[in-house]
Every structure is written in structure tokens, then in C-alpha cells.
Amino acid sequence: MNITKKPHFVPATYLQFWSVNNIPNGRKSHIYVTDKNGSRISSASKTGVAKHFYSKINPNKAEEYFQKFEDGWSKLVKELLENKGPKPEILSCLFLLQSSQFLLRNRCFENLSEKERIEVYHNCIETYWTKTIMNNKIGKTHEESLKLIEKNWTCLLVRNKDERFITSDNPTLTLNVKGKNPAIIYIALNPKWSLLALNNEVIKLKSNNLTEQDIDYLNNYTIGNCNREVYSNKPLNKESLSKFIEYMKIRPEKNSYYDDKTLHLISYDYPILGMEFSFIE
């Protein structure tokens, strides 16, 4: 068995849907990677990886643990793109559950502990599902769990025809509204589609449609949420690239940290017009 010395913290199965030719091809896909030095094309196999990220003793254990999730994610995105699979409201709930894997599996925890991580990640993901997504309630069946999610969250699959969404090495955003954390969970699925999950205790939905300004806000939040890199199917335009490089020079320290008991995640307060999205009432 090959030893996985550089595991992905952003899975290739996610990155493949940002392919420059819009044809997902797993680890062989090529995407645009933007960092403080500019934009370049890189393969998914070499993007979002770090040496011994999860384990120094048994690195393949992490690969085996995440494999089932990655296969499921790829299936869901392909069903969305092919207009197949479950109804949109069910599909969006499934994407919300999967998004926690990206939230807790990212570079902001790199080199902050020498301990073996995979069991901690597993426990934190389970805790996040229970406390944040399910509001401390567990459904006895798959259908009951989906109903609980629908009670707690308004989940939307939103589309932009111009393929303007971007993503990063920390792709799941948790956004504050009125002190509630998280009030919005957001993840771009590919350049055309994104998931928005709105906390029903805090947010009332005004519209299912995103404006051009909304997309700009979400892309700006994506840049603000990144650790080091932004990913896309085409290079950032000159204005966006200039803003990104300038932001990386002055960016604040992250509030997230890792210890031997749990992962602590505090959503960043983005200084962009106070969350004035058109879809929020």
C-alpha cells in the first residue's frame, strides 16, 4: 500500500469541479490557484495538500476516513450538474451536512499540534453536526434528520449563469448576523452553483435570487476567509487580484485554533457593508 505523505486538506474531489475546461477529472483536473504572488494553473493532485497534515504515524488512516465522504460529495455535485438525484431542498440539506467536512478540515490548523489528529477531527465533525446543524437533536431515521435540518435552516442552491463563484483553501464560510454564530453557512460548489444555509432563528428570507452585488460580496468573503490561496476556473480579474494581494498583506490573525480536545471555530466578522445581502429581509 502506498503511504500518503501529503494528504489533501481540500479534497481533489472538490477541486475537480473548478476545472479550467469545466470537465471534472479527479486528481488530474487543473484549476487556477491564486496567492500573494499571483495566479497560476495547478493540478488538483498538488493543490490543497500538506505533509503529514492529519497523522505522522498512520497517514493512510485519514485517507480511509475521508474517502466515503469524498465519494458522496462527488456524487451530489454530479447529480446537481446533471439535474438528477433528490429534490433540490433535500439535496441542499445533504450539501449542508457535507460542508462541515470542509469547515473542520482546513489549513488554519496546520502545525498547531504535534498530536495525531484524525480522531479529534472525527469527534469534532460529529459534535458540529449535532450542536450546530441539528440544534442538539438527532433524528432516528435519515428522513427525520433531514426534517430537523429544514426546521433549523433554510437551505438554498443558488446559481449564477456567468460562472463567477470562487472558492479557497478554507471553502466553508460561517458568517455572523446579529451576534448569532453561525447565522449563514456558505460554500461554493462550482463556478455556477453555491449553497446558502440561513439560520431560521435569525434570518428571514426576502428572495431566492442573488444579485450581482451579492455575488461580489460572497466572493469577497471567500477571499477574506482563505488561509493562503483562492481557487477558480479562470484567473481573477486585475481588480480582484489587486484587492487579494493587498488583503494578504494586512489580513488579521485567525481566531481559529486547535488543541488536543476539540477544534474551536470563531467566524470572522467581515468588514464589508454589514452583510447587506439582497436575499435577507
Side-chain angles (χ1 to χ4, degrees), residues 123-144:
N123 292 336
C124 288
I125 288 169
E126 293 292 335
T127 300
Y128 179 81
W129 283 346
T130 303
K131 289 186 175 181
T132 301
I133 304 297
M134 309 301 295
N135 198 20
N136 290 313
K137 297 180 181 179
I138 300 295
K140 295 180 180 179
T141 64
H142 183 69
E143 289 73 19
E144 286 183 13

Side-chain angles (χ1 to χ4, degrees), residues 256-274:
S256 302
Y257 64 93
Y258 174 93
D259 63 26
D260 61 346
K261 293 183 179 179
T262 187
L263 294 169
H264 300 268
L265 295 155
I266 302 173
S267 60
Y268 181 65
D269 291 318
Y270 299 88
I272 305 175
L273 298 182

Side-chain angles (χ1 to χ4, degrees), residues 9 39 76 91 109 114 121 193 232 248:
F9 53 85
S39 293
L76 290 176
L91 189 58
F109 306 116
E114 292 298 318
Y121 272 67
W193 287 94
S232 55
M248 294 304 287

Side-chain angles (χ1 to χ4, degrees), residues 42-60:
S42 178
S43 68
S45 65
K46 298 179 180 179
T47 303
V49 299
K51 188 175 182 180
H52 300 305
F53 188 79
Y54 302 103
S55 172
K56 292 184 177 180
I57 297 174
N58 185 8
N60 279 14

Side-chain angles (χ1 to χ4, degrees), residues 17-30:
F17 295 106
W18 301 86
S19 171
V20 296
N21 59 9
N22 292 323
I23 301 175
N25 190 24
R27 298 168 65 89
K28 296 180 180 179
S29 301
H30 285 79

